[in-house]
Amino acid sequence: MAIDLTVELDDRPGELARLGDMLGKSGVNIAGFCAVTRGGGIAEVHLLVDDAGPAFAALQDAGIQITEEQEVIVHDVDDRPGALGDVAHRLGDAGVSITTAYLATNTRLVLAADNLGEARDALF
């Protein structure tokens, strides 16, 4: 089971570096992430980590609140034009709505969906 952790950071220089340093010093490997600013001085960061336990502890020690924890699918995709479209079509044809998507290391697509079971059936 893969877990995506969502955290909020202040949208200012150095915050992503602080997050990366803190997780690295705690031995937490970031397998994938996506960071976007939401406005209002807040950035939302999605983290795919190998082991959520140490990540929870490190984030808590740093005073960074996890705003969401969700199970996700991590799906190998080819590194070629059209690969995302192929996956998205399979999910759309199965009636699955993608709620989160980003790339992780080694060309893996991280997906959260409104129905993870149906998403798995469509992809595997």
Side-chain angles (χ1 to χ4, degrees), residues 4 8 18 29 41 50 60 67 73 78 82 93 95 100 110 112 114:
D4 170 84
E8 291 180 349
R18 180 174 77 94
N29 184 47
D50 294 333
Q60 183 177 16
T67 58
I73 293 171
D78 293 332
D93 291 347
T100 303
V110 179
D114 62 346

Side-chain angles (χ1 to χ4, degrees), residues 64-124:
I64 298 172
Q65 182 180 355
I66 297 170
T67 58
E68 186 175 5
E69 172 188 358
Q70 62 183 337
E71 185 179 356
V72 291
I73 293 171
V74 180
H75 185 64
D76 291 329
V77 293
D78 293 332
D79 185 5
R80 62 166 177 78
L84 175 60
D86 292 345
V87 171
H89 276 292
R90 289 167 59 190
L91 294 170
D93 291 347
V96 174
S97 179
I98 299 168
T99 58
T100 303
Y102 58 92
L103 283 177
T105 56
N106 300 318
T107 319
R108 296 176 300 152
L109 184 60
V110 179
L111 296 166
D114 62 346
N115 188 321
L116 217 50
E118 288 181 11
R120 276 192 191 98
D121 290 345
L123 295 175
F124 300 103

Side-chain angles (χ1 to χ4, degrees), residues 9-58:
L9 300 176
D10 291 332
D11 181 16
R12 65 174 189 238
E15 281 296 282
L16 189 57
R18 180 174 77 94
L19 177 70
D21 287 346
M22 177 268 308
L23 289 172
K25 287 176 185 172
S26 297
V28 175
N29 184 47
I30 300 170
F33 86 99
C34 174
V36 294
T37 58
R38 289 196 333 221
I42 300 294
E44 180 176 285
V45 180
H46 289 264
L47 298 164
L48 178 70
V49 295
D50 294 333
D51 186 356
F56 277 115

